[in-house]
Amino acid sequence: MRKWFLIALAIGVTLESATAQDAASVRVVQAPVAISKIAPGVFLVDFGRVAFGNLSLTPAKEHGTSSLITVRFGEALKDGRVDTHPPGSVRYAEVKVAVKGAETVMVAPQMDARNTKAPAVLSPASLGVLTPFRWVEVEGWPTELGANQIRRRAVFDSTWVDDAASFRSSDPMLDQVWDLCHYSIKATTFAGVFVDGDRERLAYEADAYLTQLSYYAGDADPRISRATFDRLMKFPTWPSEWAPHMVFMAYADWMQTGDTAWLAAHYEGLKTKLLDERVGPDGLVMSTPKLIRHGDIVDWPIRERDGYIFTSVNTVVNAFHLRALEDMTQLAQALGKTKEATKFSEQERTTQATFQEKLFDPARGLYRDGVGTDNASLHANLFPLAFGLVPAGQRPQIVQWLAGRGMAASPYAAQYLLQALFENGGDADALALITAPGDRSWRHMVDSGATITWEAWDLKYKPNQDWNHAWGAAPANLLPRFVLGAQPLTPGWGRALIQPHPGTLTSVEGRMPTPRGELSVAWKRDKYFNLTLTLPPGMTAKVELPVLEGSTGVWIAGAPVKAHRDAQWWTLQKDLSGTVTIEER
């Protein structure tokens, strides 16, 4: 925190402590990046990026009379002015406020009845009403508006350090995507727990897990993730697949921290998230007509489901159930609950056999949407691949099929689609989807001027979408995990996996925080592959380099080291530590 505080002072940003009511958030007082006079007595103020907050205004000392001014907050501009009628849930607010003398006045919008009352996640009263905005119009200001007279009182997670993580590559657009997504995670921590966006400000399990993955790529502290987990245990939401996400969250916490005490305290509750009450005689999860109508979600919004056909045995729901069983097996083992681990493992093994028998179509090499339909949607195949359910021999065909379909899924399902591609040799396809032209990629958000990721690819796909949705920030975790190539291999990062997936890139460098300290990776690909790795004290790494054409082995400090080739990877026989440069020749 000290490091960010010094940076803040250097650029004219100051910090204010939050109240004890919410130790997870801090108010950052920000100066504008630009002010322009757009009409007589009307000033347009640009803060550079959207953040959740409100304003303080300080009139000049010579202004001794009272004035009534109008302040307009906005996420969008139209014709050079704050858009007063923005589409969907894009935010706009107007406030009239009296200023007198040189007294500083706090300016905040009126409370939104939907997102500032229960069951929404409520902010401490001391922070005032918060709204997401980048631009402000000030009308009726009695003198020239100076940069020292207006400040945004933005709210962020208190443990976040802006430069704790970095990512730069040979593709400038990919770098812009990472910047957008990385900042989006910071900007959406204002509530002290992970929420879905400003429209509702609710915690949802799927949003929380995707945000957790990206948060850990920028901040190793688990407290906000755990606060979100605790809230969701008290206030679960309705979709069938959202419940298993709680198991995913607990597993991600264990891998990040290695903390079995926290896990033990939550273990019994996790068992209620397994959908066991819906398991039929053959081990597969069953869906009643009611759950088909309102429960099984597949993707959101509805039009992003790629024509999915819902049946009483849903392939996506069962894929989630199987992955949760696999995670629960490992969590039970971590706690020494051998009998329960065996039970979960046996249940997973027998159910997966039935899953393959009833849901996989060997003639096409694809998974059906469910029992009773031959429709094979994108989602019925991306989730089994992402969860490791596809037999090894079938994976290349499904990867090729998925890549050929393009981004036929929402930003939520894109997390799993891209993960599936990265993990199964489709890294070039995954990178191409992230930066694809058209309106269904992160490139579209960047080109549209977004500073926080959206809930959907565009307003035409979800007319009421938020422009401040963390589940749309998947590259914030995918690029460090797969392109930079760093993931925990054992709980608590005692042993890491360094396995870059270069795709079409020629160079990448970056760093990420871990519970043990900063980890950095830089790699270049020319004729061969060269990687420099710095690990924090107490961490070792298994290193795997992508096999390039003509390479015969791996060298460190000019000497060959033992490595074996396993399909597309050169795997070093011994783990590494400290700082080391590895060359593939």
Side-chain angles (χ1 to χ4, degrees), residues 10-206:
I11 62 173
V13 178
T14 58
L15 307 182
E16 298 178 12
S17 298
T19 65
Q21 183 178 355
D22 187 7
S25 61
V26 64
R27 182 185 296 127
V28 181
V29 182
Q30 300 173 321
V33 299
I35 299 178
S36 57
K37 192 170 187 177
I38 55 176
V42 182
F43 298 88
L44 179 67
V45 183
D46 181 6
F47 286 95
R49 284 175 160 174
V50 174
F52 284 77
N54 44 49
L55 286 176
S56 66
L57 287 169
T58 305
K61 291 183 179 180
E62 59 269 21
H63 176 65
T65 60
S66 177
S67 300
L68 185 66
I69 64 170
T70 301
V71 178
R72 302 182 183 94
F73 300 85
E75 284 186 286
L77 287 185
K78 185 176 182 180
D79 300 325
R81 301 285 298 262
V82 170
D83 190 346
T84 58
H85 296 89
S89 295
V90 178
R91 289 318 195 195
Y92 166 73
E94 181 175 308
V95 179
K96 295 186 182 298
V97 61
V99 297
K100 182 177 182 181
E103 296 178 3
T104 297
V105 59
M106 303 303 169
V107 186
Q110 297 295 315
M111 292 180 64
D112 185 313
R114 182 171 188 180
N115 68 22
T116 57
K117 296 180 181 179
V121 178
L122 307 181
S123 300
S126 62
L127 296 176
V129 177
L130 307 176
T131 192
F133 68 97
R134 172 178 173 177
W135 287 279
V136 172
E137 272 189 28
V138 180
E139 183 173 354
W141 194 253
T143 59
E144 291 298 308
L145 180 62
N148 63 332
Q149 295 178 290
I150 184 167
R151 290 290 184 270
R152 180 166 65 183
R153 303 159 77 238
V155 179
F156 305 106
D157 171 46
S158 64
T159 67
W160 188 273
V161 178
D162 279 359
D163 64 351
S166 66
F167 179 89
R168 288 295 176 266
S169 74
S170 54
D171 183 345
M173 176 53 68
L174 194 67
D175 298 347
Q176 291 182 66
V177 168
W178 181 85
D179 286 335
L180 167 65
C181 295
H182 180 67
Y183 175 75
S184 298
I185 299 302
K186 172 189 176 181
T188 54
T189 57
F190 71 97
V193 298
F194 301 142
V195 295
D196 64 327
D198 191 57
R199 186 179 65 253
E200 296 180 311
R201 295 194 192 177
L202 293 176
Y204 284 94
E205 294 86 346

